[in-house]
Every structure is written in C-alpha cells, then in structure tokens.
Amino acid sequence: MKVMKFGGTSVGTPQRMKDVAQLVTKSGEPVFVVLSAMSGTTNSLVEISDYLYKKNPDGANEVINTLERKYLKHIEELFATEEYRQLTADYLREEFQYLRSFTKELFTSFEEKSIVAQGEMMSTNMVANYMKEQGINAVLLNALDFMRTDKNAEPDPAYIKEKLAAVMEQHPDQQVYITQGFICRNAYGEIDNLQRGGSDYTASLIGAALGAEEIQIWTDIDGMHNNDPRIVEKTQPVHQLQFEEAAELAYFGAKILHPTCVQPAKYAGIPVRLLNTMDPDAEGTTISNATEYGKIKAVAAKDNITAIKIKSSRMLLATGFLRKVFEIFESYQTPIDMVCTSEVGVSMSIDNSAHLGEIMDELKKYGTVTVDTSMCIICVVGDLDWSNIGFETRVMEAMKDIPVRMISYGGSNYNISFLIKEEDKKRALQSLSNTLFN
C-alpha cells in the first residue's frame, strides 16, 4: 500500500479536490491518503483564536461567518447530487457551530488547538464524501483515534501502529483510506498537533506504521530543486536524494520538506517521493537510503541567522569551557546551527534570537562577546565525504568573491555550510549554481 499526502494547495479548491480523487484512484490499488486543511483555512482558524485570546467574540464570529460562506459555496461546486450537498452542508454547519461555541467560554491554548484542528476535519470530510458520490470505495478515519504523542510531545510509534492496525481491521477491503494530517492527541488525551512537519510527519508516521511500499508527498512544485527557484535562474529538480541529504536541505531552508518528517520513513527504509499535483507526470524527487556517490546535489539557504563569538584567554588549554557555553544556550532552549572553535574563541550561529539578550549577559561572564545579525547560512549538499578530493575546492571556488564569516565542514559527510551576510545571499546562490550545476 502507498501513502499519499496532499497539502493545502492540492485541496485548495473544489476542482483540485476532484483532481486529488482522480490521482489516488488512478492505479486501482488500495491507498492511504493524508490531507491538510484547505489553503488559507488554518490561517483563518488562527485568526479566530487570536480574537478569542483578546476577548473579542464579535471579531471571531465575523471570521467564522466569512469562512462558513466560503465553504458552503465550495459545496455547490464540488458535488453533483443534492444528497451529498446536503450531507456535507449539514456536517459543515455543525463544525461552524462548534467554532462559535468557543466565543462563549474561557479561551486557552487547549481550546486553540481544538479550533485549529477543524481545518483538516472539514477538508477530509469533503473529499471523502466526494469520493463516495463518485462510487469510490472510500472510508474516512479519524486521526485522533490513532495519532498520539507521548509526554515529551514526540510521536508514539508503538501506540500509532497498534491503534491504526485496529482501526483498519474494522474497515477491510477499502480502496481509499482517508485521514487528517497534522492533528493528534497528546499523552493526556487532549487534542494537539505534531507541530514540526505537520501533515508530512503524519504521512511518514503512518507509512512506517503500515510498512508502506512508498510515501508520496504531493505539493504544487515538481520535487526539490538544486537551488532556490525564487532567487536563482535555471534551477532543476533533483531526482534522487539520500535521507541525510534531504534532511540537511530541509533544515537549511528548502521549504518543501520539514527535516523531522522523513525520520520515521528513514528508519523504516521506506522511500519518500515528492510529486507535483499540478503536473502528476513529472518525475519529482525520490528520497531513500540509497546514496549516489560522487555528486553534489543541491544548495539551500537559511535566513535570519545571528552569529555570536565569545573570546576568552580562559579557554586556552582549559577543560569545561565549551560545556559552560553550550549549557547557557540549552538553558534558554536555543539550538545552535554552526560551531567553529580556535584556541581562545568559539563562534556559533543561532536562528532563534528570542533570548539573545539573556544569552549575551550569561556569556559575558566568561569572555568578550560580539554579535553579528542579519546573517545567512548557505548549505551545499551531496556526497561530500573527505575522500572525494577536489569537491571542497569547487565549492570554495564558487564562493571566492563572497565574504565568509564562518565555514563548517566535517560534521557530516553530506554538507559544507557557509555563514555570510544576507545581502550577499543572492550572489552566493547564483555563483554556486553556475559553478556546480550549470
């Protein structure tokens, strides 16, 4: 069985919902479909929550009414029979009444998560009803019955596998199984979400639980490109990536995939394919445990980086200095992207500056601290094992005219990273493309 995940733009209009129904039934084989909320819906639900936090029920109701009119209009375009129009309209009216019920109660983050979950509930109901109207043997499964996180807010794979198997046993011989992405219950049974990776993460977890043949992530572009097509001319899709390469690219800025979401598929040895709903015949990108040796695959960039340097004579031949420095970042739950050290100094980069002031105050106890803001990490990904002589030289040649603040190489066999000013980003990406790919 294949798992197919469709993002918000892929189910963003009634016509696209119809296209999805055609795609998932094209092979005639059983498939498991994971759907996001219709594009724009989650933003509206977050806006509703924001009004309720601010104790403005009138503002919340106005957004709810606008969203309801939009959905009821979609019903007219999606369904051909009065039976399914009425069935879906009744369900959606209940959903919007449920949303209105929050305007009369105390509002906390728990209620917000319940509100935000309704986008996926509505999109899956509409697509499932459309498939049934078309005579497709489809069943809608509630993700809240089997998707759960543990007390550390991490997915609980054993629970997911057990409960999903039990749910599917109740619905044997279906052609299409449909469920919601992103949403789950937490260890205490409350409605929650997977946060990182959203619906992609759901698809990967379900694929691992089912031992799926393949996990397909359908979006509105034809796979992962070898550079950012919004900035660089003449980019090309990358047809094959190793899981580590894909994770590096995703972490360092390739928006098509979240780095966390591929982990369950990686450990289960299940290939992930990135495909284009608008161009279903495009080859896309396949991510697997297979490595293509001797190739540089792609370049990605991560913005809004802050570089911090601490210089101290105490560091010279001292033990425990780095531990103290890193514990400061840990205490403020601020991950570090890059690290470079010398005999008397250490430089680090972070992408979350929320606690920058407090971190600097703590670091000043140990040495002289300097900070550079508005920086950017450029990451070059491929088979960059140190035994591949000359690969580093090619990358450095492309960067010869770009001022580089930090370089990281050797921490992984799959990337070389450069910290540069954001104003030099476009020039660096284009130069790397010209040298490495064009």
Side-chain angles (χ1 to χ4, degrees):
M1 179 180 284
K2 292 179 181 177
V3 174
M4 304 173 74
K5 175 262 172 180
F6 293 89
T9 54
S10 297
V11 290
T13 66
Q15 183 56 52
R16 287 186 179 171
M17 288 183 171
K18 293 177 183 179
D19 295 341
V20 165
Q22 281 191 321
L23 272 174
V24 303
T25 55
K26 191 174 180 180
S27 69
E29 298 172 0
V31 293
F32 200 110
V33 177
V34 177
L35 299 180
S36 298
M38 290 180 73
S39 55
T41 299
T42 300
N43 288 341
S44 295
L45 296 173
V46 169
E47 186 181 3
I48 291 165
S49 300
D50 192 43
Y51 277 119
L52 294 175
Y53 272 126
K54 292 178 169 63
K55 296 182 170 52
N56 183 355
D58 292 338
N61 277 319
E62 192 168 328
V63 180
I64 291 169
N65 293 340
T66 302
L67 195 61
E68 183 177 29
R69 286 193 296 271
K70 175 183 171 183
Y71 268 81
L72 293 175
K73 184 181 177 186
H74 286 332
I75 288 174
E76 295 301 315
E77 298 175 39
L78 183 60
F79 297 101
T81 65
E82 188 57 36
E83 177 191 356
Y84 278 94
R85 281 193 193 120
Q86 192 61 49
L87 181 71
T88 310
D90 290 345
Y91 171 80
L92 290 177
R93 287 192 180 99
E94 285 181 17
E95 277 288 306
F96 285 104
Q97 281 302 110
Y98 175 67
L99 293 178
R100 290 185 184 97
S101 72
F102 289 98
T103 64
K104 303 163 189 171
E105 298 175 4
L106 177 69
F107 197 77
T108 70
S109 60
F110 298 110
E111 284 76 27
E112 180 184 15
K113 287 175 180 175
S114 295
I115 283 179
V116 172
Q118 302 315 306
E120 280 76 12
M121 291 293 194
M122 291 189 285
S123 66
T124 50
N125 180 272
M126 291 170 71
V127 172
N129 282 350
Y130 174 74
M131 288 189 185
K132 289 173 184 175
E133 184 187 53
Q134 298 303 305
I136 298 165
N137 197 13
V139 62
L140 176 58
L141 306 179
N142 190 336
L144 301 179
D145 292 339
F146 55 86
M147 293 300 297
R148 189 178 79 166
T149 54
D150 59 22
K151 290 181 180 179
N152 298 316
E154 295 295 335
D156 187 338
Y159 179 95
I160 293 168
K161 185 173 183 177
E162 178 191 346
K163 296 298 181 183
L164 180 57
V167 168
M168 292 190 69
E169 278 179 14
Q170 297 171 15
H171 303 280
D173 305 322
Q174 299 289 320
Q175 184 181 354
V176 182
Y177 296 87
I178 303 173
T179 199
Q180 302 84 22
F182 182 57
I183 67 173
C184 64
R185 291 193 186 276
N186 61 26
Y188 310 100
E190 300 155 340
I191 293 177
D192 211 324
N193 56 65
L194 296 173
Q195 299 172 14
R196 304 177 304 273
S199 298
D200 293 351
Y201 208 179
T202 302
S204 191
L205 289 162
I206 288 172
L210 295 176
E213 167 192 344
E214 182 178 85
I215 298 164
Q216 298 179 352
I217 308 294
W218 291 81
T219 65
D220 54 357
I221 59 174
D222 51 345
M224 200 175 279
H225 279 233
N226 60 8
N227 211 323
D228 190 336
R230 297 165 300 180
I231 297 173
V232 175
E233 298 173 356
K234 298 178 182 177
T235 66
Q236 297 293 328
V238 180
H239 296 308
Q240 196 278 336
L241 286 170
Q242 202 263 6
F243 277 116
E244 297 283 354
E245 294 171 340
E248 295 278 9
L249 285 171
Y251 183 75
F252 285 105
K255 303 294 185 189
I256 192 171
L257 196 68
H258 193 283
T260 308
C261 82
V262 296
Q263 288 179 355
K266 173 189 172 183
Y267 297 139
I270 299 168
V272 175
R273 290 186 71 202
L274 309 179
L275 297 163
N276 187 353
T277 318
M278 316 307 165
D279 185 8
D281 296 323
E283 185 177 344
T285 302
T286 299
I287 305 168
S288 69
N289 282 318
T291 299
E292 277 190 301
Y293 294 102
K295 279 191 177 182
I296 294 177
K297 296 292 187 65
V299 180
K302 190 176 186 182
D303 295 327
N304 302 315
I305 301 297
T306 300
I308 303 168
K309 180 165 75 173
I310 175 169
K311 190 169 66 172
S312 174
S313 57
R314 286 190 246 175
M315 185 177 171
L316 186 63
L317 302 177
T319 58
F321 182 85
L322 287 177
R323 173 179 58 78
K324 291 173 185 174
V325 168
F326 292 142
E327 280 178 349
I328 291 169
F329 288 88
E330 182 183 6
S331 67
Y332 290 102
Q333 296 185 317
T334 302
I336 295 170
D337 288 320
M338 293 173 66
V339 181
C340 291
T341 63
S342 72
E343 286 300 320
V344 293
V346 55
S347 289
M348 297 147 291
S349 72
I350 59 173
D351 65 357
N352 178 1
S353 58
H355 299 288
L356 180 61
E358 297 101 310
I359 290 170
M360 286 180 64
D361 288 341
E362 295 279 348
L363 290 174
K364 285 176 181 176
K365 297 174 184 176
Y366 300 104
T368 306
V369 181
T370 55
V371 173
D372 295 309
T373 57
S374 301
M375 306 296 283
C376 168
I377 294 176
I378 302 288
C379 173
V380 180
V381 166
D383 176 26
L384 291 163
D385 188 274
W386 67 280
S387 61
N388 290 331
I389 297 170
F391 275 30
E392 308 87 4
T393 308
R394 288 176 62 199
V395 176
M396 295 298 292
E397 175 66 20
M399 297 292 289
K400 67 181 181 181
D401 296 323
I402 310 292
V404 176
R405 169 71 174 76
M406 288 168 62
I407 301 174
S408 175
Y409 175 58
S412 158
N413 289 336
Y414 299 99
N415 96 46
I416 302 176
S417 296
F418 301 87
L419 185 68
I420 64 172
K421 293 179 180 178
E422 279 186 4
E423 63 194 59
D424 294 323
K425 170 182 163 181
K426 182 174 181 180
R427 199 156 52 98
L429 290 178
Q430 189 65 62
S431 179
L432 284 163
S433 260
N434 293 343
T435 303
L436 302 176
F437 308 128
N438 298 333

